[in-house]
Amino acid sequence: MQTIFSIVMASNGSAQVDGKSIVNDDAIFEIARGAHAKNAELRAVIKADAAVPHGRVIHVLDILKQAGVSKIAFGVTPISPMVPLPTPSSPPP
């Protein structure tokens, strides 16, 4: 049975694990280690706001690996396609 371990990271520095707020990213280690001990098939999904620094996401990725979680995916929020900018009209003759 596959279990999903959900991590949501907000641009304001807050984070949630499985819908529960955590004090900081380092708190993920104990929670992930315990969840992995209960289910070796644990799959983590990291979903971060676009404004979350890359280094913070990598830090959480490293924490998960240290906790023994090797199945990690990234959740994405689809964005609408970019609307093409209007082309400038030709200047009058």
Side-chain angles (χ1 to χ4, degrees):
M1 180 173 129
Q2 181 176 313
T3 302
I4 302 296
F5 185 81
S6 170
I7 300 166
V8 178
M9 301 168 67
S11 58
N12 68 1
S14 67
Q16 294 182 337
V17 172
D18 291 336
K20 297 175 187 161
S21 294
I22 56 173
V23 293
N24 59 38
D25 295 341
D26 293 332
I28 294 169
F29 178 78
E30 289 298 331
I31 302 167
R33 188 168 67 171
H36 185 259
K38 291 178 185 174
N39 185 346
E41 296 299 312
L42 183 73
R43 179 178 302 270
V45 176
I46 300 171
K47 185 174 182 182
D49 287 348
V52 172
H54 175 76
R56 182 175 172 215
V57 175
I58 297 303
H59 177 68
V60 168
L61 184 61
D62 288 342
I63 288 170
L64 290 169
K65 289 181 178 180
Q66 290 171 17
V69 180
S70 60
K71 296 178 181 181
I72 302 169
F74 292 92
V76 295
T77 303
I79 57 172
S80 57
M82 291 185 64
V83 177
L85 296 173
T87 56
S89 56
S90 301

